[in-house]
Amino acid sequence: MKEMSDEEVRDLVYEQNTIDIISYGPSKSLDENLAKILDCLCEKYNKGDLPTILYTIVKDLILNGFKANFKRIFFFENHLDIHSPADYELGVRMYKSFILSGKGNTYEDIAKEKNLYVKTKIDHDQSGFHFEVRNNSPLVKGEMQKIRNSLLHAQNYSDIMEYYIERGDNSEGEGIGIALCVILLKGENLPTDQFRIFQEEGETIAELKIPFKKQ
């Protein structure tokens, strides 16, 4: 993915009400393009207080998609059955060490070959923003329940460190990221019930709606 110019971003935002981004791994150009698009969107709709929080949330959802796809590749390469509870527990610990070592980005080319994508869709008009981040690595048994628990329990916190200390899951980091998204939305008085994660036709989808208040 090449980095877009300011003029290209402006044309995209002002001429299209739907913006689609497909990616296979993290990159500086992806980060830059996302930041520019969100800045321009918030400028267009006079929502100057939202670019930072939207960037933090959407980028985290995209990274979660990459991690889910890369985890499947990691399990396959290490001959681990992701559907076996014993292999899953072992594999998650190994994968976490792999990611912390900084080697995770080496999977981007493999993800592209296997068409393990992360698709980001942004719809926008005068009624609000609608974000969808989807990847095509279906969740295995137990993963969705962890996500639901994170969404539910994060409602009771206003500080991410407090959440981490009391409820941090050492096995994987997705729960912390999801909790952070909820806590950030609460901090801006944005509706947390418009943030959900679900599965549909082989894809895992994170959806966030930001409705605009009528003046």
Side-chain angles (χ1 to χ4, degrees), residues 26-184:
S27 66
K28 181 180 178 182
S29 58
L30 173 61
D31 292 348
E32 292 290 342
N33 288 343
L34 180 62
K36 288 179 181 179
I37 289 169
L38 294 175
D39 282 345
C40 193
L41 277 171
C42 291
E43 175 191 285
K44 178 178 180 179
Y45 294 101
N46 194 28
K47 301 295 177 182
D49 55 332
L50 291 183
T52 300
I53 181 177
L54 292 180
Y55 176 80
T56 301
I57 292 174
V58 176
K59 181 179 177 181
D60 188 78
L61 297 176
I62 292 172
L63 288 177
N64 276 349
F66 292 147
K67 285 164 65 178
N69 289 346
F70 291 177
K71 183 165 67 178
R72 271 64 185 175
I73 298 171
F74 182 85
F75 270 68
F76 178 79
E77 288 196 338
N78 287 275
H79 309 289
L80 295 166
D81 180 2
I82 200 167
H83 298 288
S84 160
D87 276 9
Y88 185 84
E89 185 178 347
L90 172 62
V92 163
R93 290 201 303 268
M94 292 170 60
Y95 179 65
K96 184 176 181 182
S97 297
F98 179 78
I99 291 295
L100 291 175
S101 71
K103 297 177 182 176
N105 292 354
T106 61
Y107 278 167
E108 180 176 356
D109 289 341
I110 300 174
K112 196 167 188 176
E113 286 176 13
K114 294 181 176 293
N115 194 34
L116 293 173
Y117 56 74
V118 175
K119 293 181 178 178
T120 305
K121 180 180 178 182
I122 305 172
D123 290 313
H124 60 98
D125 57 29
Q126 295 297 332
S127 66
F129 299 143
H130 181 192
F131 301 93
E132 275 189 2
V133 179
R134 57 180 68 211
N135 68 279
N136 55 341
S137 288
L139 297 170
V140 300
K141 185 177 180 180
E143 288 181 329
M144 180 54 78
Q145 190 56 51
K146 282 187 176 182
I147 288 171
R148 287 176 179 151
N149 288 342
S150 295
L151 287 169
L152 176 64
H153 293 302
Q155 301 285 346
N156 300 319
Y157 293 84
S158 57
D159 181 86
I160 189 61
M161 282 307 298
E162 183 182 356
Y163 178 93
Y164 178 78
I165 291 168
E166 294 186 10
R167 308 202 66 91
D169 180 355
N170 291 325
S171 61
E172 297 185 76
E174 286 87 342
I176 298 297
I178 291 167
L180 174 63
C181 294
V182 173
I183 290 169
L184 287 173

